[in-house]
Amino acid sequence: MGKRKNSGSLRKKYLASSMALALLASAALPFTHASAQTKQEDLTGFAKDKSQWQTEFETKFQNGVKENSIKKYGRALSKRPALVGTKGNDAGVQYALNELKKAGLKPKVHTYDVYLSHPNSISITQTAPFQRELKVTEDLKKGTPFKNEVVEGYNAYSPSGDVEGELVYANYGTPEDFKELALQGVSVKDKIVIVRYGKNFRGVKPDLASQYGAKGVLIYSDPKDDGYVKGPVYPDGPWRPKDAIQRGSILYIYRYPGDPLTPGKASVDGVKRIQANKANSLPRIPTTPISYGEAQGLLQAMGGKEAPKAWQGGLPFKYHLGNEASKVRLNLDIEYETKPIHDITVTFKGAKYPNEKIIIGGHRDTWTYGASDNISSWSTIMEMARSLGKLYENGWRPDRTIVLAGWDGEEYGLLGSTEYAEQHQKELTKDAVAYINMDGIAGQFFGAGAVPSLNPLIYDVAKKVTEPRSGLSVYDDMLARNDGKEQEIDLLGSGSDYTAFLQHLGVPSADVGFGAAGGLYHSAYDNSDSVERFFDPGYKHQAAAGRFTGLMALRLANAQVLPFQYSEYAESVQKLLADVEKDGTLGVDIGGLKAKAKEWEEASNRLETYSQGLLDSGKGKPKQWKQLNSALIQQERDLISKQGLASRSWFKHQIFAPGLTTGYAAQPLPALVEAQQAKDTEAFKKAVKQLEKSLTKAAWTAEDAVE
C-alpha cells in the first residue's frame, strides 16, 4: 500500500547514522545462519525438554532459507509489472504456482471479484501563466522490459473528471495545513490543490481537500522529502530522481478497506453489492500524482503570498500559496469495472491442533516492477514455504497449522487480504492464533510493529536470527544502534495486510522485516537493479526476514503455552489512558476504566505465573494447555466490539485503529480520542463504557484460565 507508514510501518525511520553503520560493519565476523544462537536456553512457552527439540527444527529451517532462491524468485517476478487486474499480474500467479508445485507443495488460489479502476488516459495541462503538457510517465530507457505495461502515474480509485482551476499550494494536505490556508485568507473552493506526499496517507489529502470545496488534487513527491536533498538519486543512488512518480491508491481505507462495494462481506458469487455512489470509501474529486520534475514548473509559476517557512520544499525557489495567475487542468479518463483478483496460499497442517492457524502473509501485486514493494516479501514467503516443505517432506509436522499467503490487490486498498478475512471470518475468529505481515522487507535495518502482547516474542526471536550486516544477532545489532536500548516496536495503524485480521477480527498481529531509506517507492525504478545495488545487496536481509518471520511462526505453532504476554498489553493500555487523561476527559471520570486495565494486568500476571509453573514442573496436562491457550487466543478477541467504532463500524478493535486524518498511523483508543477531539461528552461516556466492557472481559478470560 502506500507506505512510508508512520506508526505501524516498516518503511519508515529505520536508518541509524552512517557512523553507526560503519562501526557495525567493521565489527562483522563470519557467521552461519544459526550463529546468533550462542547457547541453549529454555524458550518462552516451552517446557525444558521441548525447547531443545524446537531449537533443532528452528536451526534446520533457518539453514534451509537460501538467498539464491529468493534472488531467483525475485528477479523473475519483478521482470514484469504485476498491477492488480492485468496480464502481468496473471503471469505472476502462474509463475508462483509453478515454482511452488516444483517444490512439492500444493498451493491454492482464492479468487474474488472486486471493483477496480484503471486509467484509459491521464492528461495534466498547465494553462496559466503559459500552456504546457506535463509528463505522466517516467523517462524509461529504451529496451526496458515490458515498458509498455508500466501504468501511467495515477491514483487508484480517483474519479474521472475534466476540471480546470486556479492552483493552490497546501503543503502536505493535513488538517493543520488547510486551517493555515484559511488563516492566510486563501480559499481552496472550486480550485485545484497541489500537495506534497508525506505526513499522512495520500487518500486523506483529497478527502480533506474535497471537504474544503476543492475540485481536484495534484500530489507530488518533494525532493526535500525523498529526492536529491537527501542524497544521490537513481541510478546513482537510492533517492527519487526528478521524473519518478509515486503512484498509489487514494481509497479511504481508514473508513473501511477491501472491495468498496462489499464492506464487511467477501466479494464472492451471490454477495449483495452496494452502488458506487453509496460507498463512503471512494474518493469524490479527481486526483493524480506527478513527479517533482513536472511539479517544479507549476510551483515556480505560482504567485500570491509566500508560503510559511515550514512549507518550503527542496526545489530552488520560494514556494507561494498561489493566485489567479496560475492555473492547471486535470483530464482523467478512468474506467471502473468488476474484475477478479487472486490470493495464493500454501498450508502446512498441524498435527495436534489443525484448526488453530498461524498465518504469514505479504502482498504479491505491485504498482510497477515492485522488486522492493512487494516482490521482496512474496518471493521470501515462497522460499519460506520451500524450506518448510523440506522439513515436512522429512516427517516434521507443526503442532498448529501454518498458512503462508500471497495477497492480491493490496496496493489498491488491502483488497485480497480483506476479502479473505471477511470470507473466513467465522473460522478465523474462532481459531486464528496470529497473523504476521511482511511488506517491503528489502532493507538493512530491522523494524517491527505489533500488538503489545507479541513484543516479548519479537525480542526473543531477534536473539536467534543473525543480522547479515554485522554478524551479530538482530537483537544485539539493535542494541548497538540504539545506545544499548531495545528498539521500540511500533503500534499498528493501517496501510498493509494485517488490518483486517487485527482490527476487524481481533487476531493478534505483527508486521516485521528490514527497511532502508530511499525514494523509489511506487515508481518505475523500484526494480531488481535498485534492490541489488542499494537496498539489499545479495538478498541477505530478505532471507533474514524470512528466517525471523518463520521462527515467529514456528514458536507460535509449537508452543505448549502460546507466547503472548497480555500483562504487557494491559500495561500499555494504562499508559495510553494516562495520555488521554492529560488531554482532558470532558469532565468524565475514567477512574473505573483505569482500574479495569489494572485488573487485566494483574489477572494476566497470574495467568503467566501459573502457566510458567506448569511448564517448569513438567506436569501440565492436555486439558490445562487447551484451557490456557484458549484464554490467550480469546483476550485479543475481547478487545473487539461487535458494533464497531461510532465513526466507522468496520473497524471493531477498541485499542487500535488508523487515524481518520492520518490514514496509516495508529490512533490508540480511537473511540475515546475521537470523542475527545470532537468535544462530544456523550460519545466519550459511551466509549468509556464500551472499553470498560472489553477490559473486563479480557480480565475475566485471563482469570478463568487459572485453576
Side-chain angles (χ1 to χ4, degrees):
M1 192 69 205
K3 12 184 218 191
R4 300 258 181 230
K5 285 187 187 142
N6 306 331
S7 295
S9 137
L10 294 180
R11 263 180 275 186
K12 57 177 203 158
K13 52 178 174 62
Y14 293 140
L15 276 190
S17 67
S18 57
M19 182 180 294
L21 174 58
L23 288 170
L24 286 167
S26 68
L29 298 170
F31 62 91
T32 64
H33 299 319
S35 67
Q37 301 174 17
T38 56
K39 63 179 181 177
Q40 175 61 41
E41 60 184 63
D42 293 345
L43 305 179
T44 302
F46 293 80
K48 191 170 187 177
D49 60 337
K50 198 173 181 183
S51 289
Q52 184 173 353
W53 173 87
Q54 174 73 8
T55 300
E56 288 173 2
F57 278 109
E58 289 183 4
T59 300
K60 289 177 182 178
F61 167 75
Q62 287 207 65
N63 289 333
V65 175
K66 304 296 185 184
E67 287 84 351
N68 281 340
S69 289
I70 297 172
K71 178 180 179 179
K72 171 191 164 186
Y73 297 150
R75 282 186 169 182
L77 287 165
S78 63
K79 193 175 291 184
R80 183 178 185 180
L83 186 68
V84 63
T86 66
K87 291 180 180 179
N89 186 291
D90 291 342
V93 172
Q94 290 307 312
Y95 175 84
L97 293 177
N98 290 340
E99 290 298 321
L100 292 167
K101 288 174 182 176
K102 279 184 197 175
L105 303 168
K106 297 178 180 179
K108 182 177 179 181
V109 177
H110 309 257
T111 298
Y112 304 97
D113 294 316
V114 301
Y115 193 56
L116 294 177
S117 68
H118 189 80
N120 291 323
S121 68
I122 301 292
S123 173
I124 309 164
T125 308
Q126 184 171 9
T127 57
F130 50 84
Q131 186 150 325
R132 175 177 69 100
E133 287 292 324
L134 276 64
K135 292 180 182 178
V136 295
T137 59
E138 288 90 347
D139 298 322
L140 295 177
K141 292 181 180 178
K142 187 176 181 180
T144 300
F146 297 99
K147 178 179 176 181
N148 64 323
E149 292 188 12
V150 174
V151 71
E152 303 100 313
Y154 102 106
N155 289 133
Y157 293 112
S158 168
S160 289
D162 186 353
V163 295
E164 183 178 7
E166 181 183 324
L167 199 58
V168 176
Y169 174 55
N171 197 26
Y172 291 106
T174 66
E176 294 76 19
D177 292 334
F178 282 105
K179 288 175 184 175
E180 178 63 26
L181 281 176
L183 289 174
Q184 295 278 349
V186 177
S187 170
V188 302
K189 184 173 175 55
D190 294 327
K191 298 175 183 176
I192 293 173
V193 171
I194 183 168
V195 293
R196 50 177 167 157
Y197 272 108
K199 303 296 185 184
N200 57 8
F201 166 53
R202 73 180 69 77
V204 172
K205 302 173 191 290
D207 189 359
L208 292 171
S210 65
Q211 292 175 39
Y212 279 86
K215 60 182 179 179
V217 176
L218 282 171
I219 313 178
Y220 80 102
S221 299
D222 196 277
K224 185 176 181 180
D225 299 312
D226 67 359
Y228 59 77
V229 174
K230 294 288 188 179
V233 303
Y234 188 78
D236 300 317
W239 296 99
R240 188 178 297 272
K242 67 179 183 178
D243 65 320
I245 301 171
Q246 185 187 145
R247 299 152 179 83
S249 176
I250 56 170
L251 190 71
Y252 299 162
I253 58 169
Y254 44 91
R255 296 185 182 170
Y256 63 88
D259 182 1
L261 306 189
T262 63
K265 303 288 184 182
S267 297
V268 294
D269 288 345
V271 69
K272 185 177 180 180
R273 300 174 190 271
I274 64 175
Q275 294 296 313
N277 61 4
K278 298 292 179 64
N280 69 1
S281 68
L282 287 173
R284 305 303 181 198
I285 57 176
T287 302
T288 202
I290 55 174
S291 66
Y292 65 76
E294 294 303 302
Q296 180 165 348
L298 297 175
L299 292 165
Q300 197 164 13
M302 290 174 69
K305 291 184 178 179
E306 185 175 307
K309 184 177 180 181
W311 290 29
Q312 298 297 324
L315 294 168
F317 50 79
K318 290 290 185 182
Y319 291 29
H320 290 76
L321 300 180
N323 59 17
E324 67 280 356
S326 180
K327 294 181 179 180
V328 70
R329 177 186 177 190
L330 310 183
N331 188 355
L332 312 182
D333 180 5
I334 297 174
E335 183 178 347
Y336 278 79
E337 59 184 326
T338 298
K339 297 184 73 172
I341 62 170
H342 309 287
D343 297 338
I344 299 174
T345 59
V346 175
T347 299
F348 297 95
K349 193 171 182 180
K352 288 186 178 180
Y353 314 107
N355 292 332
E356 295 181 9
K357 295 181 178 69
I358 295 88
I359 304 166
I360 299 170
H363 69 92
R364 54 167 208 82
D365 65 305
T366 65
W367 268 103
T368 60
Y369 298 102
S372 176
D373 185 15
N374 188 37
I375 297 303
S376 62
S377 301
W378 175 225
S379 58
T380 300
I381 289 170
M382 289 172 61
E383 175 61 5
M384 293 164 63
R386 193 192 65 80
S387 180
L388 287 173
K390 291 294 183 186
L391 293 176
Y392 207 82
E393 201 176 87
N394 292 326
W396 166 83
R397 297 291 183 273
D399 286 351
R400 299 177 180 87
T401 296
I402 297 174
V403 179
L404 294 101
W407 311 119
D408 198 4
E410 189 269 0
E411 293 294 5
Y412 266 46
L414 321 181
L415 303 180
S417 59
T418 299
E419 300 312 310
Y420 178 92
E422 289 174 344
Q423 182 182 26
H424 300 282
Q425 178 168 343
K426 186 175 180 180
E427 64 202 69
L428 291 171
T429 300
K430 183 174 183 291
D431 292 318
V433 172
Y435 174 77
I436 309 171
N437 195 57
M438 302 174 75
D439 195 350
I441 60 170
Q444 299 173 42
F445 296 90
F446 178 75
V451 292
S453 57
L454 281 171
N455 290 358
L457 175 61
I458 291 172
Y459 290 131
D460 283 351
V461 170
K463 296 171 184 175
K464 300 293 183 179
V465 177
T466 300
E467 159 54 63
R469 177 176 27 76
S470 64
L472 304 170
S473 70
V474 171
Y475 185 83
D476 287 339
D477 183 83
M478 75 166 71
L479 295 183
R481 292 189 291 114
N482 289 280
D483 298 323
K485 299 175 183 176
E486 288 183 334
Q487 183 172 323
E488 183 179 347
I489 295 172
D490 293 324
L491 304 177
L492 293 177
S494 186
S496 198
D497 289 307
Y498 54 78
T499 300
F501 292 95
L502 173 62
Q503 292 159 345
H504 193 63
L505 304 184
V507 177
S509 299
D511 186 28
V512 299
F514 293 84
L520 306 182
Y521 175 65
H522 286 190
S523 79
Y525 303 120
D526 178 6
N527 54 31
S528 59
D529 174 66
S530 60
V531 164
E532 292 175 12
R533 289 200 294 128
F534 303 121
F535 299 122
D536 187 21
Y539 293 79
K540 293 178 180 179
H541 284 84
Q542 291 169 68
R547 295 178 188 118
F548 196 105
T549 304
L551 259 61
M552 284 185 69
L554 288 170
R555 295 279 176 91
L556 290 160
N558 295 327
Q560 288 154 290
V561 177
L562 289 167
F564 295 131
Q565 192 169 314
Y566 281 100
S567 59
E568 181 159 329
Y569 208 142
E571 188 178 346
S572 296
V573 170
Q574 291 172 71
K575 292 176 182 176
L576 295 172
L577 286 170
D579 291 339
V580 169
E581 200 167 28
K582 285 178 188 174
D583 293 333
T585 60
L586 306 177
V588 179
D589 181 10
I590 65 168
L593 186 54
K594 291 159 65 179
K596 294 296 183 185
K598 185 64 177 176
E599 287 172 15
W600 182 28
E601 180 188 9
E602 292 168 351
S604 294
N605 273 320
R606 287 191 290 273
L607 184 151
E608 289 154 15
T609 301
Y610 170 68
S611 61
Q612 189 59 51
L614 287 178
L615 289 168
D616 291 342
S617 70
K619 295 180 180 179
K621 298 176 182 178
K623 183 179 178 182
Q624 290 171 308
W625 300 139
K626 184 177 180 180
Q627 184 171 304
L628 283 167
N629 289 322
S630 293
L632 289 164
I633 291 172
Q634 180 59 37
Q635 283 179 79
E636 192 76 53
R637 311 293 200 271
D638 289 335
L639 304 177
I640 290 289
S641 165
K642 286 185 179 180
Q643 64 265 38
L645 301 179
S647 59
R648 44 217 159 121
S649 60
W650 187 93
F651 285 93
K652 300 184 182 300
H653 206 281
Q654 295 296 294
I655 310 300
F656 299 116
L660 277 169
T661 58
T662 60
Y664 280 160
Q667 176 55 74
L669 308 180
L672 284 176
V673 172
E674 287 171 14
Q676 184 184 57
Q677 291 172 343
K679 295 182 172 52
D680 188 333
T681 303
E682 289 306 309
F684 193 88
K685 288 178 180 177
K686 288 179 182 178
V688 167
K689 286 182 179 179
Q690 182 55 57
L691 188 52
E692 278 185 353
K693 288 180 183 177
S694 288
L695 297 179
T696 299
K697 285 195 292 183
W700 285 352
T701 297
E703 196 69 55
D704 290 348
V706 179
E707 293 183 352

